Amino acid sequence: MYAIDEDKAPDIEHPPQHDGIQVIELSMMDKRKYFPLTMLSGFSVRGLLYPFTLIKTRIQVQKGTELYSGTFDAFNKIARTEGAVGFYRGFWVSSLQIFSQVTYISVYEGTRHLLVTRTPVKSSRVRSLLAGGAASITGQTLFVPVDVVSQHLMIMKLRHSGGMRKLSPLKINADEYKSRFGLTKAIVRAVYKQYGPLGFYQGYLASLAVYAPNSAMWWFFYDTYCDMIPTIAPVWVPRLVLQCMSAPLSGVTSALITNPLDVIRTRIQVEGTRFIPTLKTLWEEEHMNIFLKGLSARLIQSVTFSFFIILGYETIKRWSLLEEHKKHVRW
């Protein structure tokens, strides 16, 4: 999962006997265990963190603080007015993205392997940077339509209140659709009718502008922290613990850098606008607050997501190891 030091990269066919295997490769695992467990882990983590995704999205699309003054205010208002179900609007559509997790990881690992074997790139961090960006581009190409539909589901039932604007621009009376899937179908039809087939790729370039750099930087900083933390940690600390410490730090760093782009992406996908007009509107509404809009929810989401994804992913890799490699891997 984390980067291979070029000078210590293990031979996959003949793993080293002294220091153990530093990186668990796909070829070392039983795929019948690995892929199903990876999807189950992804679904569980998304379910745990989805309320923060919903809160972040609502804060990002509102004008100023007309609906919520912040993350905790949003949490209280949603709990009071919509109940527990309000935190999971659009979850079942969004959960389709678990399939992208397998694609993402496969592209990431494949790109790293290609860079090691076919290019002169020597730096482990640079390989992680490039592989993370390539994996994100693939994932976004497949799942931006899911994002578009799920984001409309998150905000569809919000209505004018005390001068508050309706947040979804789709021409749908959400109250007419009592079932979850009825409203989902109505949103799909409305997006197609109002924007055409390309409507499902609203914000695609903005998504690439956010998630490709975010993914690339996440892996770059993850490798950096994985190299730094062991130098100050006692030797008896398990490697998995060090990885789980590095992941949240990487999540915070990359989220702080890319948050303004994430705000722009969300607005574009929900409102169907273009990049420059959206940027101008946000600057007129928020000024420097564009750097903080929805940031607390995003940081909570990013830190928790990074921790649990790495914990699940690295644990699953160890559980899925073929018998001949188990004795070479340190927990």
PDB file of all heavy atoms in Angstrom, residues 1 13 108-109 120 125 128 133 147 152 155 164 188 196 208 222 229 233 271 276-277 290 298 309 316:
ATOM      1  N   MET A   1       0.830  -1.199   0.000  1.00  0.00           N
ATOM      2  CA  MET A   1       0.000   0.000   0.000  1.00  0.00           C
ATOM      3  C   MET A   1       0.864   1.247   0.000  1.00  0.00           C
ATOM      4  O   MET A   1       0.642   2.174  -0.733  1.00  0.00           O
ATOM      5  CB  MET A   1      -0.902  -0.013   1.234  1.00  0.00           C
ATOM      6  CG  MET A   1      -1.799   1.194   1.360  1.00  0.00           C
ATOM      7  SD  MET A   1      -3.088   1.194   0.122  1.00  0.00           S
ATOM      8  CE  MET A   1      -4.098   2.516   0.726  1.00  0.00           C
ATOM      9  N   GLU A  13       9.007 -12.340  -6.384  1.00  0.00           N
ATOM     10  CA  GLU A  13       9.103 -13.780  -6.550  1.00  0.00           C
ATOM     11  C   GLU A  13       9.908 -14.420  -5.406  1.00  0.00           C
ATOM     12  O   GLU A  13       9.670 -15.543  -5.016  1.00  0.00           O
ATOM     13  CB  GLU A  13       9.773 -14.101  -7.901  1.00  0.00           C
ATOM     14  CG  GLU A  13       8.991 -13.599  -9.106  1.00  0.00           C
ATOM     15  CD  GLU A  13       7.612 -14.229  -9.187  1.00  0.00           C
ATOM     16  OE1 GLU A  13       7.472 -15.403  -8.780  1.00  0.00           O
ATOM     17  OE2 GLU A  13       6.670 -13.566  -9.645  1.00  0.00           O
ATOM     18  N   TYR A 108      -3.726   2.119  -9.104  1.00  0.00           N
ATOM     19  CA  TYR A 108      -2.611   2.647  -8.303  1.00  0.00           C
ATOM     20  C   TYR A 108      -1.447   1.658  -8.261  1.00  0.00           C
ATOM     21  O   TYR A 108      -0.300   2.009  -8.564  1.00  0.00           O
ATOM     22  CB  TYR A 108      -3.089   2.956  -6.886  1.00  0.00           C
ATOM     23  CG  TYR A 108      -1.966   3.362  -5.959  1.00  0.00           C
ATOM     24  CD1 TYR A 108      -1.438   4.642  -6.000  1.00  0.00           C
ATOM     25  CD2 TYR A 108      -1.408   2.445  -5.061  1.00  0.00           C
ATOM     26  CE1 TYR A 108      -0.385   5.008  -5.164  1.00  0.00           C
ATOM     27  CE2 TYR A 108      -0.363   2.796  -4.230  1.00  0.00           C
ATOM     28  CZ  TYR A 108       0.148   4.087  -4.281  1.00  0.00           C
ATOM     29  OH  TYR A 108       1.183   4.436  -3.469  1.00  0.00           O
ATOM     30  N   GLU A 109      -1.744   0.423  -7.887  1.00  0.00           N
ATOM     31  CA  GLU A 109      -0.686  -0.578  -7.778  1.00  0.00           C
ATOM     32  C   GLU A 109      -0.064  -0.874  -9.141  1.00  0.00           C
ATOM     33  O   GLU A 109       1.150  -1.041  -9.263  1.00  0.00           O
ATOM     34  CB  GLU A 109      -1.254  -1.863  -7.162  1.00  0.00           C
ATOM     35  CG  GLU A 109      -1.806  -1.710  -5.761  1.00  0.00           C
ATOM     36  CD  GLU A 109      -0.725  -1.543  -4.704  1.00  0.00           C
ATOM     37  OE1 GLU A 109       0.473  -1.543  -5.070  1.00  0.00           O
ATOM     38  OE2 GLU A 109      -1.076  -1.413  -3.526  1.00  0.00           O
ATOM     39  N   PRO A 120      12.527   5.355 -15.832  1.00  0.00           N
ATOM     40  CA  PRO A 120      13.705   5.660 -15.010  1.00  0.00           C
ATOM     41  C   PRO A 120      13.365   6.376 -13.701  1.00  0.00           C
ATOM     42  O   PRO A 120      14.272   6.839 -13.011  1.00  0.00           O
ATOM     43  CB  PRO A 120      14.528   6.576 -15.929  1.00  0.00           C
ATOM     44  CG  PRO A 120      13.505   7.284 -16.747  1.00  0.00           C
ATOM     45  CD  PRO A 120      12.409   6.265 -16.983  1.00  0.00           C
ATOM     46  N   ARG A 125       8.453   8.447  -3.694  1.00  0.00           N
ATOM     47  CA  ARG A 125       7.391   9.429  -3.491  1.00  0.00           C
ATOM     48  C   ARG A 125       6.844   9.947  -4.813  1.00  0.00           C
ATOM     49  O   ARG A 125       5.636  10.179  -4.944  1.00  0.00           O
ATOM     50  CB  ARG A 125       7.906  10.593  -2.648  1.00  0.00           C
ATOM     51  CG  ARG A 125       8.293  10.186  -1.234  1.00  0.00           C
ATOM     52  CD  ARG A 125       8.899  11.321  -0.460  1.00  0.00           C
ATOM     53  NE  ARG A 125       9.439  10.858   0.812  1.00  0.00           N
ATOM     54  CZ  ARG A 125      10.108  11.616   1.658  1.00  0.00           C
ATOM     55  NH1 ARG A 125      10.333  12.888   1.361  1.00  0.00           N
ATOM     56  NH2 ARG A 125      10.572  11.119   2.797  1.00  0.00           N
ATOM     57  N   SER A 128       4.523   7.355  -6.170  1.00  0.00           N
ATOM     58  CA  SER A 128       3.242   7.407  -5.467  1.00  0.00           C
ATOM     59  C   SER A 128       2.414   8.603  -5.931  1.00  0.00           C
ATOM     60  O   SER A 128       1.194   8.494  -6.096  1.00  0.00           O
ATOM     61  CB  SER A 128       3.480   7.495  -3.954  1.00  0.00           C
ATOM     62  OG  SER A 128       4.056   6.314  -3.476  1.00  0.00           O
ATOM     63  N   GLY A 133      -2.427  10.062  -8.806  1.00  0.00           N
ATOM     64  CA  GLY A 133      -3.152  10.880  -9.771  1.00  0.00           C
ATOM     65  C   GLY A 133      -3.817  10.049 -10.845  1.00  0.00           C
ATOM     66  O   GLY A 133      -4.977  10.286 -11.206  1.00  0.00           O
ATOM     67  N   ASP A 147     -21.810  10.761  -8.371  1.00  0.00           N
ATOM     68  CA  ASP A 147     -21.689  11.959  -7.538  1.00  0.00           C
ATOM     69  C   ASP A 147     -22.801  12.951  -7.828  1.00  0.00           C
ATOM     70  O   ASP A 147     -23.403  13.525  -6.917  1.00  0.00           O
ATOM     71  CB  ASP A 147     -20.341  12.639  -7.783  1.00  0.00           C
ATOM     72  CG  ASP A 147     -19.275  12.181  -6.801  1.00  0.00           C
ATOM     73  OD1 ASP A 147     -19.644  11.614  -5.752  1.00  0.00           O
ATOM     74  OD2 ASP A 147     -18.096  12.386  -7.086  1.00  0.00           O
ATOM     75  N   HIS A 152     -27.615  15.664  -5.592  1.00  0.00           N
ATOM     76  CA  HIS A 152     -28.975  16.197  -5.687  1.00  0.00           C
ATOM     77  C   HIS A 152     -29.887  15.536  -4.656  1.00  0.00           C
ATOM     78  O   HIS A 152     -30.772  16.200  -4.092  1.00  0.00           O
ATOM     79  CB  HIS A 152     -29.521  16.005  -7.101  1.00  0.00           C
ATOM     80  CG  HIS A 152     -29.008  17.006  -8.087  1.00  0.00           C
ATOM     81  ND1 HIS A 152     -29.354  18.333  -8.041  1.00  0.00           N
ATOM     82  CD2 HIS A 152     -28.167  16.875  -9.139  1.00  0.00           C
ATOM     83  CE1 HIS A 152     -28.756  18.988  -9.029  1.00  0.00           C
ATOM     84  NE2 HIS A 152     -28.027  18.117  -9.703  1.00  0.00           N
ATOM     85  N   ILE A 155     -29.671  17.171  -1.149  1.00  0.00           N
ATOM     86  CA  ILE A 155     -30.227  18.501  -0.904  1.00  0.00           C
ATOM     87  C   ILE A 155     -31.623  18.690  -1.473  1.00  0.00           C
ATOM     88  O   ILE A 155     -32.224  19.748  -1.296  1.00  0.00           O
ATOM     89  CB  ILE A 155     -29.305  19.587  -1.516  1.00  0.00           C
ATOM     90  CG1 ILE A 155     -29.249  19.442  -3.038  1.00  0.00           C
ATOM     91  CG2 ILE A 155     -27.913  19.513  -0.917  1.00  0.00           C
ATOM     92  CD1 ILE A 155     -28.458  20.526  -3.728  1.00  0.00           C
ATOM     93  N   MET A 164     -34.430  31.701   2.578  1.00  0.00           N
ATOM     94  CA  MET A 164     -33.409  30.761   2.147  1.00  0.00           C
ATOM     95  C   MET A 164     -33.745  30.221   0.759  1.00  0.00           C
ATOM     96  O   MET A 164     -34.870  29.859   0.478  1.00  0.00           O
ATOM     97  CB  MET A 164     -33.352  29.616   3.149  1.00  0.00           C
ATOM     98  CG  MET A 164     -32.191  28.662   2.962  1.00  0.00           C
ATOM     99  SD  MET A 164     -32.365  27.314   4.141  1.00  0.00           S
ATOM    100  CE  MET A 164     -32.533  28.250   5.665  1.00  0.00           C
ATOM    101  N   VAL A 188     -32.610  11.453 -12.129  1.00  0.00           N
ATOM    102  CA  VAL A 188     -31.918  11.024 -13.354  1.00  0.00           C
ATOM    103  C   VAL A 188     -32.625  11.583 -14.581  1.00  0.00           C
ATOM    104  O   VAL A 188     -31.982  12.125 -15.498  1.00  0.00           O
ATOM    105  CB  VAL A 188     -31.837   9.481 -13.415  1.00  0.00           C
ATOM    106  CG1 VAL A 188     -31.320   9.029 -14.780  1.00  0.00           C
ATOM    107  CG2 VAL A 188     -30.943   8.942 -12.309  1.00  0.00           C
ATOM    108  N   GLY A 196     -29.110  17.275 -20.740  1.00  0.00           N
ATOM    109  CA  GLY A 196     -28.679  16.301 -21.732  1.00  0.00           C
ATOM    110  C   GLY A 196     -27.756  15.263 -21.125  1.00  0.00           C
ATOM    111  O   GLY A 196     -27.474  15.279 -19.913  1.00  0.00           O
ATOM    112  N   LEU A 208     -11.748  16.357 -11.548  1.00  0.00           N
ATOM    113  CA  LEU A 208     -10.362  15.985 -11.823  1.00  0.00           C
ATOM    114  C   LEU A 208      -9.403  16.983 -11.180  1.00  0.00           C
ATOM    115  O   LEU A 208      -8.355  16.592 -10.640  1.00  0.00           O
ATOM    116  CB  LEU A 208     -10.112  15.924 -13.331  1.00  0.00           C
ATOM    117  CG  LEU A 208     -10.799  14.802 -14.105  1.00  0.00           C
ATOM    118  CD1 LEU A 208     -10.349  14.836 -15.564  1.00  0.00           C
ATOM    119  CD2 LEU A 208     -10.497  13.440 -13.494  1.00  0.00           C
ATOM    120  N   TYR A 222       1.593  10.667   2.396  1.00  0.00           N
ATOM    121  CA  TYR A 222       1.522   9.404   3.142  1.00  0.00           C
ATOM    122  C   TYR A 222       2.891   8.730   3.166  1.00  0.00           C
ATOM    123  O   TYR A 222       3.359   8.276   4.209  1.00  0.00           O
ATOM    124  CB  TYR A 222       0.472   8.495   2.496  1.00  0.00           C
ATOM    125  CG  TYR A 222       0.306   7.158   3.179  1.00  0.00           C
ATOM    126  CD1 TYR A 222      -0.079   7.078   4.513  1.00  0.00           C
ATOM    127  CD2 TYR A 222       0.528   5.977   2.479  1.00  0.00           C
ATOM    128  CE1 TYR A 222      -0.235   5.846   5.137  1.00  0.00           C
ATOM    129  CE2 TYR A 222       0.370   4.743   3.099  1.00  0.00           C
ATOM    130  CZ  TYR A 222      -0.012   4.687   4.424  1.00  0.00           C
ATOM    131  OH  TYR A 222      -0.172   3.472   5.044  1.00  0.00           O
ATOM    132  N   ILE A 229       7.729   9.098  10.549  1.00  0.00           N
ATOM    133  CA  ILE A 229       7.253   8.639  11.849  1.00  0.00           C
ATOM    134  C   ILE A 229       8.087   7.489  12.421  1.00  0.00           C
ATOM    135  O   ILE A 229       8.397   7.481  13.619  1.00  0.00           O
ATOM    136  CB  ILE A 229       5.759   8.268  11.772  1.00  0.00           C
ATOM    137  CG1 ILE A 229       4.937   9.541  11.535  1.00  0.00           C
ATOM    138  CG2 ILE A 229       5.303   7.568  13.041  1.00  0.00           C
ATOM    139  CD1 ILE A 229       3.441   9.295  11.384  1.00  0.00           C
ATOM    140  N   ALA A 233       9.557   6.802  16.318  1.00  0.00           N
ATOM    141  CA  ALA A 233       8.733   5.835  17.046  1.00  0.00           C
ATOM    142  C   ALA A 233       9.605   4.709  17.598  1.00  0.00           C
ATOM    143  O   ALA A 233      10.616   4.347  16.988  1.00  0.00           O
ATOM    144  CB  ALA A 233       7.655   5.259  16.127  1.00  0.00           C
ATOM    145  N   GLU A 271     -25.277  22.940  -9.343  1.00  0.00           N
ATOM    146  CA  GLU A 271     -25.950  24.057 -10.001  1.00  0.00           C
ATOM    147  C   GLU A 271     -25.808  24.042 -11.520  1.00  0.00           C
ATOM    148  O   GLU A 271     -26.461  24.828 -12.211  1.00  0.00           O
ATOM    149  CB  GLU A 271     -25.433  25.380  -9.430  1.00  0.00           C
ATOM    150  CG  GLU A 271     -25.714  25.515  -7.941  1.00  0.00           C
ATOM    151  CD  GLU A 271     -25.219  26.829  -7.360  1.00  0.00           C
ATOM    152  OE1 GLU A 271     -24.501  27.567  -8.085  1.00  0.00           O
ATOM    153  OE2 GLU A 271     -25.542  27.131  -6.199  1.00  0.00           O
ATOM    154  N   ILE A 276     -15.406  29.340 -14.250  1.00  0.00           N
ATOM    155  CA  ILE A 276     -15.106  30.754 -14.006  1.00  0.00           C
ATOM    156  C   ILE A 276     -16.294  31.485 -13.373  1.00  0.00           C
ATOM    157  O   ILE A 276     -16.114  32.190 -12.364  1.00  0.00           O
ATOM    158  CB  ILE A 276     -14.659  31.455 -15.300  1.00  0.00           C
ATOM    159  CG1 ILE A 276     -13.350  30.834 -15.808  1.00  0.00           C
ATOM    160  CG2 ILE A 276     -14.460  32.958 -15.057  1.00  0.00           C
ATOM    161  CD1 ILE A 276     -12.196  30.927 -14.829  1.00  0.00           C
ATOM    162  N   PRO A 277     -17.535  31.348 -13.919  1.00  0.00           N
ATOM    163  CA  PRO A 277     -18.673  32.004 -13.251  1.00  0.00           C
ATOM    164  C   PRO A 277     -18.868  31.523 -11.811  1.00  0.00           C
ATOM    165  O   PRO A 277     -19.214  32.318 -10.927  1.00  0.00           O
ATOM    166  CB  PRO A 277     -19.865  31.618 -14.127  1.00  0.00           C
ATOM    167  CG  PRO A 277     -19.283  31.348 -15.471  1.00  0.00           C
ATOM    168  CD  PRO A 277     -17.940  30.728 -15.190  1.00  0.00           C
ATOM    169  N   ILE A 290     -13.871  31.226   1.308  1.00  0.00           N
ATOM    170  CA  ILE A 290     -13.893  30.094   0.379  1.00  0.00           C
ATOM    171  C   ILE A 290     -12.891  29.022   0.813  1.00  0.00           C
ATOM    172  O   ILE A 290     -13.063  27.844   0.533  1.00  0.00           O
ATOM    173  CB  ILE A 290     -13.588  30.570  -1.067  1.00  0.00           C
ATOM    174  CG1 ILE A 290     -13.851  29.432  -2.056  1.00  0.00           C
ATOM    175  CG2 ILE A 290     -12.166  31.064  -1.198  1.00  0.00           C
ATOM    176  CD1 ILE A 290     -13.690  29.857  -3.503  1.00  0.00           C
ATOM    177  N   ARG A 298     -15.068  18.513   6.148  1.00  0.00           N
ATOM    178  CA  ARG A 298     -14.174  17.794   5.244  1.00  0.00           C
ATOM    179  C   ARG A 298     -12.975  17.226   5.987  1.00  0.00           C
ATOM    180  O   ARG A 298     -12.519  16.107   5.693  1.00  0.00           O
ATOM    181  CB  ARG A 298     -13.711  18.723   4.116  1.00  0.00           C
ATOM    182  CG  ARG A 298     -12.922  17.987   3.034  1.00  0.00           C
ATOM    183  CD  ARG A 298     -12.779  18.803   1.778  1.00  0.00           C
ATOM    184  NE  ARG A 298     -12.152  17.998   0.751  1.00  0.00           N
ATOM    185  CZ  ARG A 298     -11.013  18.329   0.124  1.00  0.00           C
ATOM    186  NH1 ARG A 298     -10.411  19.454   0.418  1.00  0.00           N
ATOM    187  NH2 ARG A 298     -10.505  17.540  -0.798  1.00  0.00           N
ATOM    188  N   ILE A 309      -9.748   3.574   6.197  1.00  0.00           N
ATOM    189  CA  ILE A 309      -9.403   2.942   4.921  1.00  0.00           C
ATOM    190  C   ILE A 309      -8.061   2.236   5.020  1.00  0.00           C
ATOM    191  O   ILE A 309      -7.903   1.090   4.586  1.00  0.00           O
ATOM    192  CB  ILE A 309      -9.390   3.988   3.788  1.00  0.00           C
ATOM    193  CG1 ILE A 309     -10.819   4.291   3.346  1.00  0.00           C
ATOM    194  CG2 ILE A 309      -8.567   3.510   2.601  1.00  0.00           C
ATOM    195  CD1 ILE A 309     -11.531   3.128   2.671  1.00  0.00           C
ATOM    196  N   ILE A 316      -6.784  -6.208   5.703  1.00  0.00           N
ATOM    197  CA  ILE A 316      -7.291  -7.143   4.694  1.00  0.00           C
ATOM    198  C   ILE A 316      -6.142  -7.746   3.886  1.00  0.00           C
ATOM    199  O   ILE A 316      -6.154  -8.940   3.561  1.00  0.00           O
ATOM    200  CB  ILE A 316      -8.302  -6.431   3.775  1.00  0.00           C
ATOM    201  CG1 ILE A 316      -9.610  -6.181   4.538  1.00  0.00           C
ATOM    202  CG2 ILE A 316      -8.572  -7.238   2.511  1.00  0.00           C
ATOM    203  CD1 ILE A 316     -10.556  -5.233   3.836  1.00  0.00           C
TER     204      ILE A 316
END
